[in-house]
Structures are given as C-alpha cells and as structure tokens.
Amino acid sequence: MNATIPFRLPDLLAKELARALEEEILYGQLAPETRLVEEEVAQRFGISRSPVREALRLLEQDGLVVREARRGIWVAPIGRADLDSVYSCRVALEGLAAEQAANSRKPDHVKVLRAVMGEMEQAFGARDVRAYFRANVRLTDAIHDAADNPTLRRLLSSIGKQAQRYRYLAYSRAPQLLEISLAGNRDVIGAIAGGDPAKARALTEKLLRRSWEAVGGALDAEMKNGAQAVQPIEGDRNR
C-alpha cells in the first residue's frame, strides 16, 4: 500500500497568504520597511498565526521581507545598492537564458513566446501597466523554460521576486519604458525564433541595462530629495 502525504490546510493557507502579500509588496500596497506583525496579519485575513508564520518565512526566502533581531519582520527596503546587486546578476543570467533559448529553439517554446508577446502588445495598447507587467513576467518565465537549463532557472528564481519589484517600479515611474520594453522584447523573441544566440543575448542585456538605468535614476532622484527610499506607486494612472 502506497503511503500518502496528508493534506494540511495550514500549508495551503500559508501559500495563498504568501501570494496575496507578495502582490501587495510588488504593487506598493505594502510599502518598503512596513512592519509585519503576525497577530495583525492573522486578524486582517481571519486566520490563525501558524499559516501567517509560514507565509512570512516563504516571503523571506524570496527576499521580499527581512527579519531583524529585536525589530521583527519588515517589508524589504528598496534602494540603489540592492537594485545594483540584483540587476548586475540579472543582466548576465537573463542574457544567458535568452542565448540558450535561441540555441534550443523548440517550436513549442517559440509558440508560447509569441503568444505571450501578443498579450503584452494587447496590454500596451490598452495602456494597462499592471497587465503589461504581468504578461512581461510570464514572457520572462517562458524564456527560462525555453532555455531548458534547470540550474540556470534556479539561479534566476532566487532573485526573481526581488527583480519584479524593480521591474514594476520601472514601468510605474517611467511609462515610456513600456514602449522600449515592447520593442526590445519583440526583437529578443525574433532572435530566439531565428536561432541567433549571440543576438538574443546582446538584445536582452541591452534591454535590462536600460531598465536598470531608468530605475536607478528614479532612486537617485528620490535620495537627492532627501527621501530614504523610493515608494512604489500604488496602482497606476492607466487602470
């Protein structure tokens, strides 16, 4: 008789809660350095503290919250040093993923990439920043799948959620980046579909550096004005 893994409701609740809090962090509803108290979160969502504790642990693993002795748990801050550390890794790793996707160039993967590209174009046409961001994240994941490199995917996953905060910040602070992103990603998909690894990598790295520069500019401006850190925009003007 095969042993079965018992169903545990707290585990399911923890994952669902982690997803809900993750969205609030990504979209700025929970601002950087907001303190997260287990009891307050439990009361807010009407659940026990056990799944809250596990949800916060999951968010900590993704780098979205930090735990400090005597201070508790806080939404991770946003700042130039963190941006630079995330993007210096991301430029190289995403470029490698695009290169390997072009080397692989499997028809099923190319079909998915083009379909998600269509979603991005639709969101861009509607000037829906949040929908565009979500489609853009799906495109990035599809490129990782197309690269067919489990080790590379794990490395990218380890910084993925942190990078998403800055990606959404970039689109919110500099809406002109949507057009740059759309054209750039269209070219990247073309290079992958055409089986040109060097071009796919170069285009990806160029696009990421432009995003890095845009967010860095916003962060520098805020610091120059005396702010501690940039606060992501809650929602956007196009929704």
Side-chain angles (χ1 to χ4, degrees), residues 63-196:
L64 294 178
V65 303
V66 293
R67 191 185 305 266
E68 299 180 20
R70 302 185 189 88
R71 291 191 66 200
I73 301 173
W74 304 76
V75 175
I78 281 179
R80 185 59 190 255
D82 184 56
L83 168 73
D84 290 346
S85 66
V86 169
Y87 265 77
S88 61
C89 295
R90 190 167 179 244
V91 167
L93 294 175
E94 295 287 4
L96 179 59
E99 178 184 70
Q100 295 191 351
N103 271 323
S104 176
R105 199 178 46 157
K106 293 180 181 178
D108 287 348
H109 285 148
V110 172
K111 183 178 180 180
V112 171
L113 291 172
R114 285 176 169 158
V116 181
M117 191 70 221
E119 294 176 18
M120 288 173 60
E121 290 171 344
Q122 185 175 7
F124 176 79
R127 293 297 189 270
D128 189 331
V129 175
R130 193 170 293 193
Y132 183 90
F133 166 76
R134 286 173 171 160
N136 191 205
V137 171
R138 286 195 293 274
L139 182 70
T140 301
D141 289 341
I143 292 174
H144 297 171
D145 289 340
D148 199 20
N149 184 330
T151 299
L152 178 59
R153 186 171 183 84
R154 282 196 298 272
L155 290 170
L156 283 163
S157 178
S158 69
I159 61 171
K161 297 296 173 58
Q162 294 157 281
Q164 284 179 29
R165 296 181 79 193
Y166 290 108
R167 290 167 71 179
Y168 185 69
L169 178 64
Y171 297 146
S172 299
R173 292 284 181 178
Q176 70 274 15
L177 273 179
L178 268 68
E179 187 171 358
I180 294 170
S181 168
L182 188 70
N185 278 295
R186 189 184 293 119
D187 290 342
V188 169
I189 301 311
I192 291 173
D196 191 334

